[in-house]
C-alpha cells in the first residue's frame, strides 16, 4: 500500500541538509555559497547564507554554518575521535576569529536540552564536562595561568521541568554575568539517519 505523505514536511536543523533539499532541482540558489573538503574520513562543509532570498529558500537564518560529518564515528575508534576533536577545535577557533572574538573574551556556555531524555541530553552532558574558570578570574586572578579565558557554564533545563522559558533564563543570566560570547550547545534534528551521532554543526545564528 502506498502512503500519501504530501501533508508532511521534512524537518531538519542542519543547514547542509536544507541546502541539499533546496538544490535538488539543480539550479543554484542566490545568496547561498557552499564548499567542502575531506580530512581522511572527516568531511567539513561550509554553507554561507548571505541574502534573504537564500534564507527563504533554505528556511535558515542568514549566517555561516559549518558541518563536520564523520560516518565512521559510531565505531568508537578512539584515534578517530581524537582526530575529530582536533578538527573541530581548529574549525571552531577559525570560526571565532571570523567573528572577531578575542582570545581573552569571556564565554558563557549554555547546555540546552533535557538531561532525563537521552536524545535531548547533549547540552547538559557537555556542561558537566566543561572546565569552568570564571570564578578563578574573580577570586584569584593572579594565579590563573596564561592561555585560559573566563568560562562559565549552565544547563537551564527545559520548560516542562522548570516552568520557565529557557530563553528567559538565559537572558537573565546574560544580563547579570555579561559574557562577551554565548555558546549554546544542543542536539539537532536530521532528516538522514546516517547523520545521527556522526555530525556536528557550528553556526553563528
Amino acid at each position: 500500500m502506498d502512503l500519501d505523505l504530501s501533508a508532511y514536511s521534512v524537518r531538519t536543523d542542519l543547514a547542509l541538509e536544507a541546502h541539499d533539499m533546496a538544490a535538488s532541482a539543480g539550479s543554484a540558489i542566490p545568496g547561498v555559497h557552499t564548499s567542502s573538503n575531506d580530512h581522511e574520513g572527516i568531511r567539513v562543509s561550509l554553507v554561507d547564507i548571505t541574502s534573504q532570498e537564500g534564507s527563504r529558500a533554505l528556511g535558515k537564518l542568514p549566517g555561516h554554518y559549518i558541518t563536520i560529518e564523520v560516518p565512521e564515528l559510531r565505531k568508537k575508534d578512539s584515534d578517530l575521535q581524537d582526530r575529530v576533536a582536533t578538527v573541530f577545535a581548529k574549525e571552531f577557533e577559525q570560526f571565532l576569529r571570523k567573528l572577531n572574538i578575542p582570545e581573552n573574551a569571556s564565554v558563557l556556555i549554555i547546555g540546552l536540552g533535557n538531561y532525563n531524555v537521552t536524545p535531548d541530553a547533549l547540552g547538559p552532558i557537555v556542561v558537566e564536562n566543561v572546565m569552568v574558570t570564571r570564578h578563578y578570574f574573580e577570586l584569584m586572578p593572579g594565579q590563573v595561568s596564561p592561555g585560559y579565558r573566563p568560562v562559565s557554564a549552565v544547563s537551564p533545563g527545559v520548560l516542562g521541568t522548570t516552568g520557565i522559558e529557557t530563553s528567559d533564563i538565559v537572558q537573565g543570566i546574560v544580563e547579570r554575568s555579561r559574557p562577551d560570547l554565548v555558546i549554546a550547545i544542543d542536539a539537532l534534528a536530521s532528516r538522514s539517519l546516517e547523520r545521527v551521532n556522526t555530525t556536528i554543526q557550528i553556526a553563528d545564528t
Side-chain angles (χ1 to χ4, degrees):
M1 181 179 68
D2 293 332
L3 297 177
D4 181 10
L5 302 178
S6 60
Y8 301 92
S9 60
V10 176
R11 171 80 166 87
T12 181
D13 287 320
L14 298 173
L16 183 63
E17 289 186 337
H19 174 265
D20 291 344
M21 288 188 291
S24 59
S27 58
I29 305 170
V32 177
H33 308 281
T34 63
S35 62
S36 63
N37 57 75
D38 291 293
H39 303 273
E40 299 179 3
I42 303 173
R43 185 175 183 83
V44 179
S45 302
L46 173 65
V47 176
D48 278 334
I49 304 175
T50 59
S51 71
Q52 290 300 323
E53 185 177 357
S55 176
R56 287 191 297 270
L58 270 62
K60 301 295 176 188
L61 293 172
H64 308 287
Y65 300 81
I66 295 175
T67 307
I68 302 173
E69 299 175 90
V70 194
E72 298 296 310
L73 196 57
R74 292 178 178 174
K75 294 184 178 180
K76 300 181 180 179
D77 181 337
S78 58
D79 290 335
L80 178 59
Q81 290 173 345
D82 288 343
R83 289 200 295 114
V84 172
T86 300
V87 169
F88 171 79
K90 289 180 179 178
E91 291 293 335
F92 197 68
E93 180 182 19
Q94 293 175 7
F95 198 79
L96 294 182
R97 285 179 178 173
K98 287 181 180 179
L99 296 177
N100 297 317
I101 303 296
E103 293 185 359
N104 62 345
S106 60
V107 176
L108 169 62
I109 296 176
I110 303 292
L112 298 172
N114 188 340
Y115 191 90
N116 298 307
V117 179
T118 300
D120 197 33
L122 176 65
I125 290 173
V126 170
V127 165
E128 274 195 346
N129 290 276
V130 167
M131 182 173 67
V132 296
T133 58
R134 181 174 178 267
H135 52 308
Y136 297 138
F137 282 87
E138 292 187 350
L139 300 176
M140 50 183 74
Q143 299 183 39
V144 180
S145 299
Y148 290 92
R149 71 168 80 216
V151 175
S152 53
V154 65
S155 178
V158 293
L159 177 64
T161 57
T162 65
I164 307 171
E165 285 287 357
T166 304
S167 57
D168 291 338
I169 297 174
V170 174
Q171 184 176 354
I173 295 171
V174 168
E175 289 176 353
R176 290 299 300 270
S177 63
R178 298 189 179 279
D180 299 315
L181 173 69
V182 175
I183 300 175
I185 300 170
D186 198 7
L188 302 179
S190 170
R191 66 188 292 261
S192 170
L193 189 59
E194 286 72 22
R195 285 194 171 102
V196 175
N197 290 338
T198 67
T199 305
I200 303 168
Q201 177 174 265
I202 306 169
D204 60 357
T205 57

